[in-house]
Amino acid sequence: MTAILRNESGKLLHSSVLLTGMLALLSAFMFAAYPGFAEEAEFVEEAFPPVLIGLFGFEALHTIEGFVASYLFSLIWILFAGMFFAYVSAGLIVEDVRTRKMDLILSNPVSRESVVLQKVAALWVPLVVVNAGLLVVLLVGASVLGESLDPVDLGMVLLLSVPYLLVCVGIGIVLSVTVDRVETAQASALGLVFILWLVDGLSDMDPDFEWIGTFTPSRYFTPTDVLVHQEYAYGDAGILLAVFLVLLGLAVVIFARRDI
């Protein structure tokens, strides 16, 4: 039975297109600022306090690769896209429970485990739409500026971001099956993704506390390594996928045993 998957996929299409449009506008503003920014990149980097450099992972800002990786991916993609996926997934289960729609769903021959898995699987829509849309926007934007981004590296950084985004999904779905209010689940998901991102950046600045960052998902996805250094961290992506599967399994077990 895939009715839930088809229904949820259709519902997510509108928000996926909307997010893609927002990212396209932000990318356009960034590309418009790049020519003047590149000329003063050295002074800009010196003007940034170490805390911001640690948080955003600024590197090679005078190049289009470094600019895109440091600004668009390290800030907008890791933080805001991660928060989007956590927010959406946090409402997948608890909203139906609160509105009693879940009673109707479970009156059909479908298991609770299948409900969770199909709802999470429906997130393939924003993953595909947003990644594909951003790929086109960045390639076109760089071309308009007379610059070039390697489509292979750009495709790889988007592909390697998927495990990170799936961990954000895992955080959201666990909250969705444990919290009783939609607003609480979604606010908690947003806050947790932000805190994890903040902890990663701040812990990286002090060798005594750097180990704390190993417990944050953003530590295992570094866009500058891909776009600037052409280094593909498949092992880190594997770790993130394993964490996502653990979170998803936890959510399935909790929901299967929960009294609704």
Side-chain angles (χ1 to χ4, degrees):
M1 183 178 180
T2 59
I4 297 173
L5 173 60
R6 296 194 304 271
N7 182 58
E8 293 294 331
S9 297
K11 288 165 58 177
L12 288 168
L13 182 58
H14 177 74
S15 59
S16 302
V17 173
L18 183 61
L19 177 61
T20 303
M22 293 174 60
L23 290 176
L25 287 175
L26 288 172
S27 300
F29 283 122
M30 288 190 171
F31 278 130
Y34 173 71
F37 189 94
E39 296 178 0
E40 305 293 335
E42 181 179 350
F43 301 102
V44 173
E45 289 185 49
E46 293 177 355
F48 278 121
V51 64
L52 289 182
I53 294 177
L55 281 175
F56 302 138
F58 290 150
E59 186 176 347
L61 293 177
H62 61 285
T63 66
I64 188 66
E65 294 85 0
F67 183 80
V68 169
S70 299
Y71 276 94
L72 194 143
F73 281 103
S74 293
L75 176 59
I76 295 175
W77 194 248
I78 289 180
L79 183 57
F80 295 112
M83 292 173 71
F84 169 81
F85 279 92
Y87 178 87
V88 170
S89 59
L92 290 177
I93 301 297
V94 65
E95 184 174 3
D96 287 347
V97 173
R98 290 289 294 179
T99 59
R100 310 307 301 176
K101 182 181 177 182
M102 188 60 69
D103 294 338
L104 179 61
I105 293 174
L106 294 177
S107 67
N108 294 284
V110 58
S111 66
R112 293 191 181 195
E113 293 85 353
S114 180
V115 171
V116 174
L117 293 177
Q118 288 189 61
K119 282 181 172 287
V120 171
L123 291 169
W124 73 269
V125 174
L127 283 173
V128 172
V129 171
V130 178
N131 274 279
L134 190 59
L135 176 64
V136 173
V137 167
L138 293 179
L139 290 175
V140 171
S143 178
V144 169
L145 291 177
E147 300 282 350
S148 63
L149 285 168
D150 188 327
V152 174
D153 289 339
L154 191 55
M156 284 303 300
V157 75
L158 288 168
L159 181 62
L160 291 173
S161 74
V162 170
Y164 166 75
L165 296 176
L166 287 177
V167 171
C168 296
V169 169
I171 292 171
I173 198 65
V174 169
L175 288 168
S176 192
V177 299
T178 55
V179 178
D180 294 327
R181 293 179 57 84
V182 180
E183 298 82 1
T184 303
Q186 292 178 328
S188 299
L190 291 176
L192 189 53
V193 170
F194 175 76
I195 289 172
L196 288 171
W197 171 79
L198 190 63
V199 168
D200 177 30
L202 294 177
S203 65
D204 204 31
M205 298 188 313
D206 191 333
D208 293 333
F209 296 98
E210 188 175 0
W211 62 272
I212 298 177
T214 60
F215 297 99
T216 62
S218 55
R219 176 62 59 91
Y220 300 91
F221 173 56
T222 309
T224 52
D225 287 348
V226 180
L227 288 179
V228 178
H229 304 292
Q230 291 74 52
E231 297 176 355
Y232 307 148
Y234 297 114
D236 289 347
I239 292 173
L240 291 174
L241 283 175
V243 172
F244 163 67
L245 292 176
V246 169
L247 292 172
L248 179 60
L250 179 62
V252 168
V253 170
I254 292 173
F255 187 61
R257 298 181 177 182
R258 179 182 175 186
D259 182 12
I260 60 172

